[in-house]
Amino acid sequence: MLSVVRVHLPSEIPIVGCEITPYVLLRRPDGAVSTDEVPEIAPIDGQFMRYRWYRIQSDRKVPICSVHPMEQATIQCLGCLKSKIPVAKSYHCSAKCFSDAWQHHKVLHERASSALNENGAEEEELFGRFGSGGSGVLSTAGSGSLSNFGQSPAVNNGPVPLYPSGTDKNSGETWFEVGRLRTYTPTADDIGHALKFECVAVDAEKRSPVGPPTSIMTSRVIPAPTPTPRRLIQVNGDVLGHLDLDSQTTSLGTFTVLSYNILADAYATSDAYSYCPTWALSWTYRRQNLLREIIGYHADIICLQEVQLNHFEDFFAPELDKHGYQALYKKRTTEVYSGNPMAIDGCATFFRRDKFSHVKKYEVEFNKAAQSLTDAIIPAAQKRVALSRLIKDNIALIAVLEAKFGNHGAENPGKRQLLCVANTHINVHQDLKDVKLWEVHTLLKGLEKIAVSADIPMLVCGDFNSTPGSSPHGLLAVGKVDQLHPDLAIDPLGILRPPSKLNHQLPLVSAYSSFARMVGVGYDLEHQRRRMDPATNEPLFTNCTRDFIGTVDYIFYTADSLTVESLLELLDEESLRKDTALPSPEWSSDHIALLAEFRCKPRIRR
């Protein structure tokens, strides 16, 4: 007989838009246990599994605290309602909760007021809708309709009847059947309600259950947390201001580039990020939150790091394809890596098919470069030790693209506009400063060869695991390394000698240094200046965990061929620390995304 041994949920907290696939362990008629599906079209010994999902609906819908989603809301901010801010953002579980969150919460009101003042009407922004301003007035949360939490996503939960499946007279609860598949994706209608999953073996001939059903309950469904939208801040032009990311109207001849380390699922463990709720660390939640964020930026070119091979093939490539992106991918090499071959991470570069076409792809494997280096300069007896230090499985993905937009320069009408985009993750332990600098130098020398042969604008994006002031950052930003730099003292293999060779001829500039160089005053500019380090002209941080905060991610560009038009605003540490650090329910990586809008300059031969 087919029977259920055990059922459990990947997370007790269901979130709108994030599918739930229960773990169902079955005992087959032959005694073997399995988690395989047994559908009606392929029964075993005349039996198959039937699944049902129910919404447990009481007479009153329960509002959920926007800060503490496990808590029931008791007060509501009336200013949010007046400003047409999503109603889910207006609920708090206590006056202290609202007071503690006020510095972060009031930004919603400021944005709403700013949107009205600048546009005279409501404007759509990333992750939410904002209109006229309002004050932070509280009211007691009542039993009013919460139907404005959001629209139900286009999900397939199977055919379901449009009537209640049962009522418990003692509790006043009604069970609504909402799904007939093993997997269920909660919708906005489920917010505030618990769900019940039920499975039972069914006789294929009699169409009746074989034994009692097995069921499991979830806690109440919560809305997906949504962070305050990040805006593009104009840095080149007479008027300082912000641009609407949702408008998708970049100027003629400009394009946007996003660089983002998304935190591979293999690294997103509760041991490493114990401060992040387990449901917010789950890949089913994070992938949807990351995708929503990435798509919302409307970037023309997307450079992602820490993208697992299985997640690239099964999720990011097909999902971004729906939004008009072509994908390129390079996984890390496997001389050191010994885990699941499908779970190895790498770099993924996407570009909009309507803005660019693919010309050429280069793949850099630092392991191969290490082998060549040791063959050339390391004595045979020391090669094994040298390779164990140098081989880290890191890679870089370089794409040459051709622009489909204009502005190639009046003096060169009709000339092809090419662009070279490098995407890398220099994942090297902090103690191996020589290896990190050697990898960055190797990448830059490779890019130099492309620049000489093609004479095209270049972008170098990624997570370099190098803070401002380090030797890799100096090499990137200045074109050389100070021969007295303390990093050069660590060179047991002699790979950095002589220090005078540590240079390159690419006129690279960090895109975000444009914030520090801006002249003028204004609300947006002052906010961004406070989030920059005046000593280094770089952001105060791009990586923020409980144990580390600092800048390790960059977008570098060749300043003789590109200019920065605008930058995605930086986040402030205070707003992130309310959840201890990153990742959090709102932001699903321990890094923040960087985005810059560029314009191609008229070509001047280097």
Side-chain angles (χ1 to χ4, degrees):
M1 184 176 87
L2 186 65
S3 61
V4 178
V5 178
R6 186 167 69 252
V7 175
H8 72 79
L9 298 168
S11 171
E12 292 182 358
I13 304 175
I15 302 108
V16 171
C18 298
E19 70 178 22
I20 312 168
T21 303
Y23 173 87
V24 180
L25 185 65
L26 302 176
R27 189 177 304 281
R28 294 170 174 262
D30 62 2
V33 293
S34 169
T35 57
D36 293 342
E37 292 273 10
V38 184
E40 186 174 358
I41 59 173
I44 297 177
D45 286 1
Q47 297 175 1
F48 65 91
M49 290 303 299
R50 185 179 73 192
Y51 305 108
R52 294 288 187 270
W53 282 92
Y54 300 96
R55 179 195 307 138
I56 314 301
Q57 196 155 321
S58 62
D59 295 336
R60 185 172 71 88
K61 201 164 187 178
V62 179
I64 304 297
C65 176
S66 61
V67 178
H68 307 101
M70 291 297 292
E71 301 296 330
Q72 183 174 335
T74 60
I75 57 177
Q76 185 175 27
C77 172
L78 295 182
C80 289
L81 301 184
K82 294 176 183 177
S83 303
K84 295 190 172 67
I85 291 168
V87 69
K89 288 281 192 183
S90 68
Y91 289 107
H92 295 267
C93 56
S94 66
K96 183 179 186 303
C97 167
F98 182 79
S99 175
D100 290 346
W102 175 243
Q103 290 301 317
H104 177 67
H105 185 86
K106 72 176 182 180
V107 176
L108 297 176
H109 296 249
E110 291 169 353
R111 291 285 174 81
S113 177
S114 173
L116 181 68
N117 292 339
E118 293 179 17
N119 299 325
E122 298 167 14
E123 70 171 14
E124 292 291 337
E125 291 212 49
L126 180 60
F127 294 138
R129 186 177 178 86
F130 303 89
S132 57
S135 59
V137 183
L138 300 178
S139 73
T140 303
S143 59
S145 169
L146 306 186
S147 59
N148 293 328
F149 269 79
Q151 297 301 313
S152 300
V155 294
N156 177 21
N157 290 318
V160 293
L162 299 176
Y163 49 83
S165 301
T167 301
D168 186 327
K169 293 183 179 179
N170 293 325
S171 64
E173 292 178 337
T174 303
W175 299 3
F176 283 90
E177 184 180 318
V178 292
R180 292 190 171 187
L181 304 174
R182 181 171 169 180
T183 296
Y184 179 71
T185 303
T187 69
D189 293 333
D190 298 321
I191 292 172
H193 303 300
L195 301 172
K196 182 171 81 168
F197 171 72
E198 184 179 276
C199 59
V200 66
V202 173
D203 186 296
E205 184 177 340
K206 297 179 181 178
R207 317 292 295 176
S208 59
V210 180
T214 300
S215 63
I216 190 168
M217 295 276 291
T218 73
S219 56
R220 290 191 181 103
V221 176
I222 65 172
T226 54
T228 303
R230 296 174 65 188
R231 299 173 298 176
L232 276 176
I233 307 298
Q234 190 172 338
V235 297
N236 189 18
D238 296 331
V239 181
L240 297 175
H242 75 270
L243 308 174
D244 183 4
L245 277 165
D246 269 1
S247 68
Q248 301 188 66
T249 54
T250 50
S251 305
L252 182 65
T254 67
F255 61 92
T256 51
V257 179
L258 173 75
S259 185
Y260 197 5
N261 180 328
I262 63 170
L263 180 58
D265 183 46
Y267 308 141
T269 64
S270 292
D271 286 341
Y273 304 103
S274 58
Y275 51 84
C276 185
T278 54
W279 59 265
L281 269 183
S282 70
W283 181 242
T284 52
Y285 172 73
R286 290 204 309 119
R287 70 177 187 178
Q288 294 295 343
N289 205 33
L290 287 165
L291 181 68
R292 179 174 54 175
E293 180 187 0
I294 291 165
I295 289 172
Y297 292 134
H298 304 294
D300 298 315
I301 300 170
I302 300 171
C303 295
L304 303 181
Q305 302 88 43
E306 287 196 20
V307 182
Q308 290 183 196
L309 176 59
N310 53 343
H311 296 158
F312 173 78
E313 293 180 345
D314 300 339
F315 185 70
F316 285 109
E319 289 298 325
L320 287 169
D321 177 69
K322 297 174 187 175
H323 293 269
Y325 290 94
Q326 185 172 329
L328 300 172
Y329 184 77
K330 173 60 180 173
K331 68 177 181 180
R332 297 178 67 199
T333 45
T334 55
E335 271 127 294
V336 178
Y337 182 80
S338 59
N340 179 353
M342 291 302 293
I344 192 167
D345 66 285
C347 294
T349 299
F350 303 85
F351 57 90
R352 290 177 61 93
R353 286 186 291 264
D354 62 342
K355 295 289 286 281
F356 293 95
S357 58
H358 179 228
V359 176
K360 195 165 186 176
K361 172 185 174 184
Y362 299 91
E363 296 181 346
V364 178
E365 295 184 358
F366 294 109
N367 284 3
K368 287 183 178 178
Q371 187 69 58
S372 299
L373 178 68
T374 54
D375 287 345
I377 71 168
I378 304 295
Q382 299 174 19
K383 276 188 180 179
R384 178 173 293 184
V385 174
L387 287 173
S388 68
R389 185 176 182 87
L390 290 171
I391 288 181
K392 301 301 173 201
D393 286 341
N394 293 329
I395 55 90
L397 174 61
I398 303 171
V400 177
L401 308 176
E402 180 176 358
K404 295 182 178 180
F405 50 83
N407 194 41
H408 302 156
E411 72 283 4
N412 290 312
K415 184 180 178 181
R416 296 173 75 193
Q417 177 63 68
L418 298 178
L419 179 69
C420 181
V421 183
N423 180 10
T424 192
H425 183 195
I426 306 297
N427 192 3
V428 178
H429 193 274
Q430 294 300 324
D431 292 342
L432 303 177
K433 299 184 189 302
D434 55 324
V435 181
K436 195 179 297 187
L437 178 56
W438 170 76
E439 287 194 357
V440 172
H441 184 248
T442 301
L443 172 61
L444 290 170
K445 284 300 178 183
L447 291 172
E448 232 178 16
K449 292 177 183 176
I450 298 173
V452 168
S453 63
D455 187 35
I456 57 178
M458 289 205 162
L459 294 163
V460 187
C461 307
D463 174 2
F464 292 85
N465 270 297
S466 300
T467 56
S470 65
S471 57
H473 179 266
L475 181 59
L476 284 158
V478 184
K480 61 182 180 180
V481 178
D482 186 335
Q483 297 190 25
L484 298 178
H485 197 289
D487 285 359
L488 299 183
I490 302 172
D491 186 19
L493 302 177
I495 60 175
L496 305 179
R497 300 174 199 152
S500 57
K501 75 174 184 180
L502 299 173
N503 61 72
H504 66 89
Q505 301 303 313
L506 300 171
L508 294 177
V509 175
S510 174
Y512 270 79
S513 66
S514 297
F515 273 148
R517 294 194 307 270
M518 286 176 63
V519 177
V521 294
Y523 174 84
D524 288 325
L525 179 55
E526 288 304 316
H527 269 64
Q528 296 313 303
R529 278 185 179 144
R530 286 193 219 118
R531 298 167 191 178
M532 297 288 293
D533 182 350
T536 64
N537 286 352
E538 294 286 6
L540 289 172
F541 69 90
T542 64
N543 181 207
C544 178
T545 67
R546 182 171 54 195
D547 304 318
F548 173 82
I549 183 166
T551 294
V552 294
D553 308 271
Y554 306 93
I555 299 175
F556 285 94
Y557 67 99
T558 46
D560 64 340
S561 54
L562 296 168
T563 58
V564 179
E565 295 288 307
S566 53
L567 294 166
L568 184 66
E569 66 179 334
L570 296 166
L571 298 177
D572 66 283
E573 183 181 355
E574 182 183 6
S575 69
L576 301 182
R577 291 300 185 193
K578 71 183 178 64
D579 292 310
T580 302
L582 297 177
S584 68
E586 291 189 337
W587 304 102
S588 288
S589 174
D590 55 344
H591 295 248
I592 65 170
L594 301 179
L595 182 143
E597 181 186 21
F598 294 98
R599 182 183 297 277
C600 295
K601 284 183 177 180
R603 300 302 299 127
I604 300 174
R605 185 87 187 171
R606 290 193 193 109

